[in-house]
Protein backbone atom coordinates (compact mmCIF):
# COMPACT_ATOMS: atom_id res chain seq x y z
CA UNK A 1 0.00 0.00 0.00
CA UNK A 2 1.27 3.43 -0.90
CA UNK A 3 1.96 5.93 1.90
CA UNK A 4 2.23 9.71 1.67
CA UNK A 5 4.39 12.26 3.44
CA UNK A 6 2.59 14.99 5.38
CA UNK A 7 3.53 17.54 2.69
CA UNK A 8 2.22 15.43 -0.20
CA UNK A 9 -0.94 14.58 1.75
CA UNK A 10 -1.50 18.28 2.41
CA UNK A 11 -1.32 19.06 -1.33
CA UNK A 12 -3.82 16.30 -2.10
CA UNK A 13 -6.14 17.54 0.65
CA UNK A 14 -5.85 21.17 -0.48
CA UNK A 15 -4.55 22.34 2.92
CA UNK A 16 -1.24 23.57 4.30
CA UNK A 17 1.32 21.11 5.69
CA UNK A 18 0.80 22.72 9.12
CA UNK A 19 -2.91 21.90 8.95
CA UNK A 20 -2.16 18.30 7.95
CA UNK A 21 0.28 18.00 10.88
CA UNK A 22 -2.31 19.41 13.31
CA UNK A 23 -4.90 16.92 12.05
CA UNK A 24 -2.42 14.07 12.52
CA UNK A 25 -1.47 15.31 16.01
CA UNK A 26 -5.17 15.51 16.92
CA UNK A 27 -5.73 11.93 15.73
CA UNK A 28 -7.91 12.88 12.76
CA UNK A 29 -5.68 10.68 10.58
CA UNK A 30 -3.22 7.99 11.66
CA UNK A 31 0.47 8.27 10.83
CA UNK A 32 3.47 5.99 11.01
CA UNK A 33 7.19 6.61 10.58
CA UNK A 34 9.47 5.30 7.85
CA UNK A 35 13.08 4.19 8.38
CA UNK A 36 14.22 7.81 8.06
CA UNK A 37 11.79 8.98 10.76
CA UNK A 38 9.44 10.82 8.38
CA UNK A 39 5.76 10.77 9.26
CA UNK A 40 3.66 8.98 6.66
CA UNK A 41 -0.07 8.50 6.11
CA UNK A 42 -1.33 5.23 4.63
CA UNK A 43 -3.09 5.68 1.28
CA UNK A 44 -6.40 4.20 2.48
CA UNK A 45 -6.43 6.50 5.53
CA UNK A 46 -5.66 9.53 3.36
CA UNK A 47 -8.38 8.53 0.88
CA UNK A 48 -10.94 8.41 3.72
CA UNK A 49 -9.85 11.83 5.01
CA UNK A 50 -10.00 13.29 1.47
CA UNK A 51 -13.60 12.11 1.15
CA UNK A 52 -14.48 13.60 4.56
CA UNK A 53 -12.89 16.95 3.70
CA UNK A 54 -14.47 16.93 0.23
CA UNK A 55 -17.93 16.41 1.75
CA UNK A 56 -17.57 19.51 3.89
CA UNK A 57 -15.77 17.95 6.84
CA UNK A 58 -13.71 21.09 7.30
CA UNK A 59 -10.72 21.83 5.13
CA UNK A 60 -9.23 23.97 7.84
CA UNK A 61 -7.93 26.64 5.52
CA UNK A 62 -9.05 30.20 6.14
CA UNK A 63 -8.38 31.61 2.69
CA UNK A 64 -9.30 30.28 -0.74
CA UNK A 65 -6.46 30.38 -3.29
CA UNK A 66 -6.60 32.44 -6.48
CA UNK A 67 -7.23 29.88 -9.17
CA UNK A 68 -7.99 29.41 -12.80
CA UNK A 69 -9.37 25.90 -13.07
CA UNK A 70 -7.45 23.78 -15.53
CA UNK A 71 -8.25 20.36 -16.91
CA UNK A 72 -5.89 18.34 -14.67
CA UNK A 73 -7.04 17.42 -11.17
CA UNK A 74 -4.34 15.60 -9.16
CA UNK A 75 -5.86 13.66 -6.29
CA UNK A 76 -6.26 10.32 -4.61
CA UNK A 77 -8.37 7.34 -5.68
CA UNK A 78 -11.22 6.89 -3.18
CA UNK A 79 -13.25 4.14 -4.88
CA UNK A 80 -12.87 1.55 -7.65
CA UNK A 81 -15.89 -0.45 -8.84
CA UNK A 82 -15.20 -3.16 -11.40
CA UNK A 83 -17.81 -4.70 -13.68
CA UNK A 84 -17.36 -7.41 -16.27
CA UNK A 85 -16.37 -4.89 -18.96
CA UNK A 86 -16.66 -1.40 -17.47
CA UNK A 87 -15.32 0.22 -14.31
CA UNK A 88 -16.00 3.33 -12.23
CA UNK A 89 -13.17 5.19 -10.52
CA UNK A 90 -13.65 8.05 -8.05
CA UNK A 91 -10.89 10.58 -7.40
CA UNK A 92 -10.98 13.21 -4.65
CA UNK A 93 -8.91 16.21 -5.74
CA UNK A 94 -9.07 18.72 -2.90
CA UNK A 95 -12.75 19.69 -2.65
CA UNK A 96 -13.53 18.15 -6.06
CA UNK A 97 -14.94 14.62 -6.44
CA UNK A 98 -14.47 13.30 -9.96
CA UNK A 99 -16.04 10.09 -11.24
CA UNK A 100 -14.68 8.41 -14.36
CA UNK A 101 -16.24 5.57 -16.32
CA UNK A 102 -13.65 3.54 -18.19
CA UNK A 103 -12.94 -0.02 -19.20
CA UNK A 104 -12.04 -2.67 -16.66
CA UNK A 105 -8.96 -3.39 -18.77
CA UNK A 106 -7.75 0.22 -18.41
CA UNK A 107 -8.18 0.12 -14.62
CA UNK A 108 -6.25 -3.16 -14.43
CA UNK A 109 -3.46 -1.88 -16.72
CA UNK A 110 -3.07 1.23 -14.59
CA UNK A 111 -3.22 -0.84 -11.40
CA UNK A 112 -5.69 1.60 -9.86
CA UNK A 113 -6.67 0.95 -6.26
CA UNK A 114 -8.03 2.97 -3.35
CA UNK A 115 -5.36 5.12 -1.73
CA UNK A 116 -3.12 5.65 -4.73
CA UNK A 117 -2.38 8.97 -6.35
CA UNK A 118 -3.92 9.71 -9.74
CA UNK A 119 -4.74 12.68 -11.95
CA UNK A 120 -8.18 13.12 -13.51
CA UNK A 121 -8.17 15.05 -16.79
CA UNK A 122 -11.37 16.72 -17.92
CA UNK A 123 -12.09 17.75 -21.51
CA UNK A 124 -14.70 20.43 -21.98
CA UNK A 125 -15.64 23.23 -24.32
CA UNK A 126 -16.52 25.53 -21.41
CA UNK A 127 -14.19 27.01 -18.82
CA UNK A 128 -15.41 28.56 -15.60
CA UNK A 129 -13.02 30.88 -13.73
CA UNK A 130 -13.51 31.87 -10.08
CA UNK A 131 -11.38 34.35 -8.13
CA UNK A 132 -11.76 34.52 -4.38
Amino acid sequence: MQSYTIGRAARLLGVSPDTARRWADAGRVATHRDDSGRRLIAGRDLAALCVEVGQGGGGGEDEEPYTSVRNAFPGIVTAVRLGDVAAQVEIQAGPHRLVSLLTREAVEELGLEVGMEATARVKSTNVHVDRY
Side-chain angles (χ1 to χ4, degrees):
M1 173 55 62
Q2 186 167 351
S3 292
Y4 297 87
T5 63
I6 293 286
R8 187 68 189 145
R11 284 189 293 279
L12 293 169
L13 287 161
V15 300
S16 72
D18 286 338
T19 297
R21 279 188 208 91
R22 281 193 301 274
W23 287 352
D25 291 343
R28 188 167 179 186
V29 65
T31 62
H32 61 279
R33 296 207 182 256
D34 66 7
D35 294 337
S36 301
R38 293 181 307 167
R39 289 171 69 180
L40 301 174
I41 300 172
R44 285 193 179 274
D45 294 337
L46 181 58
L49 182 59
C50 283
V51 170
E52 177 189 331
V53 170
Q55 293 174 342
E61 297 299 294
D62 295 331
E63 184 177 329
E64 292 289 327
Y66 294 101
T67 65
S68 171
V69 178
R70 306 221 190 275
N71 66 341
F73 293 86
I76 188 166
V77 176
T78 58
V80 177
R81 293 176 188 82
L82 297 174
D84 292 336
V85 176
Q88 178 179 315
V89 176
E90 293 183 24
I91 296 174
Q92 191 72 38
H96 309 289
R97 176 179 163 261
L98 297 112
V99 179
S100 177
L101 301 176
L102 56 164
T103 65
R104 179 186 181 115
E105 180 182 13
V107 170
E108 290 171 347
E109 281 182 16
L110 291 170
L112 294 177
E113 62 182 39
V114 172
M116 72 183 315
E117 201 170 340
T119 299
R121 297 196 183 273
V122 179
K123 183 177 179 184
S124 176
T125 57
N126 296 311
V127 176
H128 182 88
V129 178
D130 289 328
R131 183 171 185 264
Y132 296 95

